[in-house]
Structures are given as C-alpha cells and as structure tokens.
Amino acid sequence: MLNFVQKLTDKARLSVRGSYSFSRSGSERDAFDIPEQAGQPVPNDYYSSFSNTTYNRAGANALYQYRNGAHNLQAGLRGEAMKKVTTARSLGVTTTSGADEILWNWSPELSYSYRKSQNNFNVRYSGNTTQPNQARILPVLNINDRTNISAGNIYLKPSISHTFYISGWGSNKEKYSSWDATVRAGLNQRQFVTASWMDEKGVRN
C-alpha cells in the first residue's frame, strides 16, 4: 500500500492512496468407484471435480480532509479494478471464466461530523466489494443435503454494496432531556442470490 499526503492549508489536506492484493483459492471433490471385489476404491475422473480461482484487485482513492472547529469533513473518490479468473472441472468438462474480463467499481466517499456542546451529527457513505466463496462458484452438484441439492455458478461476479448512514444525538442537562435519531440506507449491486427450478409436478430439480 502506498499513501501520499499533501497539506493544503492549516485546516485542509489531500491524501492519495493506492493498494494491490492477490489471492488464490481452490477446492476439490474426489469421486471413487467401488470395485466388485475387495480392494481399494478406484478414482472416477468423470465425477470428480475441482475449482481454482485467482483474484487480483487494484484500488486507489483520493480524499480531501477539512477540519474547522466543530466541523470535520472528508470527501473523495475511490476506484477499484478487479480480475477474477476461475477454472473448474465438472462431469468431465473444464470451464474457465473471467480470463478476458476486468470489473470496475467507482464510488464516492463522504464523511461529515459536527460536534458542539452536547449535540452531535454524523453523515457517512461507504462502498464495499465482496467476492464469492468457493462453494458458490464450484459448478458441481452438492448432495450433502439430499432435500436441497445445489450447485455453484462459475460465472458469478463479486458483489458491490453501498451504505448511507445519518445519525445524531444530544442532550440538555438543564431540561433533563435528550434526543437520538438514526437513518440507514443500503444498495446492493450484483447481489448473490440462489435460484431453484421446479418440474411440471412441482418437484425441485
């Protein structure tokens, strides 16, 4: 991670930050054939499956910070570039997704607080990116629960969430009174969901 801070005035400064991360994960599910005669189980390559994922993320943000007495303001812009490549094999077929795709996410950053005497007021916005786990992207039937057989989606993309938060509180000692209020809102993009299919008789496939 790299961070640069430039003082603009006695009350304001500008910071620029850059970061990069790399991760790799994988999972395997081996299947075996039971021999007709006594002996060791024989590996079954057709029903065996695996999934390997590499995840590259580069991010940068510019943040303006201003403080003046009771007022504290931070405002900026954050950008992310994500590349997720997944290779999976199921039922004898190997599939790769994301090799030629880069996902971009841009979001503003905002934080403002006001504190004076016994009164406080805060406004905050934040954005976050979450990548799917291996169970969600492994395209092979999971029969651990026979009443709820499931399979992952190799083309599943990271989800992006946005949160907006306003809060305030205060008190008056002379009147023995206090107040408190909070408002929170959220927006999810590409949220992870689960789909079910039914046949004509209403039986889940």
Side-chain angles (χ1 to χ4, degrees):
M1 178 181 292
L2 298 176
N3 190 27
F4 171 78
V5 179
Q6 175 64 49
K7 182 178 179 180
L8 303 177
T9 67
D10 292 337
K11 300 178 180 180
R13 64 179 183 174
L14 178 67
S15 65
V16 179
R17 177 180 299 175
S19 63
Y20 171 79
S21 62
F22 171 83
S23 63
R24 184 191 300 271
S25 60
S27 63
E28 296 182 359
R29 292 177 183 170
D30 295 326
F32 299 89
D33 292 328
I34 304 299
E36 296 181 359
Q37 299 180 355
Q40 295 294 328
V42 179
N44 187 313
D45 293 335
Y46 181 78
Y47 287 105
S48 296
S49 62
F50 72 86
S51 176
N52 295 316
T53 299
T54 57
Y55 186 80
N56 292 270
R57 175 191 171 276
N61 74 314
L63 187 66
Y64 172 79
Q65 300 171 305
Y66 175 80
R67 182 187 294 272
N68 183 10
H71 303 273
N72 185 8
L73 172 67
Q74 296 184 5
L77 181 67
R78 181 173 64 177
E80 291 180 323
M82 297 160 284
K83 185 176 181 64
K84 180 177 75 72
V85 180
T86 301
T87 301
R89 180 179 175 83
S90 175
L91 300 179
V93 178
T94 301
T95 307
T96 299
S97 68
D100 301 319
E101 183 179 24
I102 297 179
L103 302 176
W104 298 89
N105 175 39
W106 299 92
S107 62
E109 292 185 275
L110 175 64
S111 176
Y112 170 75
S113 63
Y114 172 82
R115 291 178 172 83
K116 187 175 182 180
S117 184
Q118 301 298 319
N119 295 288
N120 300 268
F121 178 74
N122 292 279
V123 177
R124 185 169 67 250
Y125 163 83
S126 62
N128 187 47
T129 301
T130 304
Q131 58 175 317
N133 57 32
Q134 287 297 119
R136 290 185 177 273
I137 61 177
L138 185 59
V140 63
L141 294 179
N142 184 348
I143 59 175
N144 291 333
D145 183 357
R146 296 299 181 92
T147 63
N148 187 23
I149 298 175
S150 61
N153 178 9
I154 191 175
Y155 299 103
L156 199 61
K157 296 179 174 59
S159 67
I160 301 173
S161 61
H162 305 270
T163 303
F164 187 71
Y165 176 83
I166 301 177
S167 67
W169 65 94
S171 62
N172 188 322
K173 295 182 178 180
E174 297 179 355
K175 297 182 178 180
Y176 300 98
S177 62
S178 63
W179 65 277
D180 189 316
T182 301
V183 176
R184 185 190 300 269
L187 172 66
N188 289 322
Q189 296 176 280
R190 294 198 301 264
Q191 187 175 8
F192 303 142
V193 297
T194 300
S196 298
W197 285 267
M198 305 290 182
D199 61 17
E200 296 178 353
K201 297 181 180 180
V203 178
R204 179 182 298 176
N205 294 325

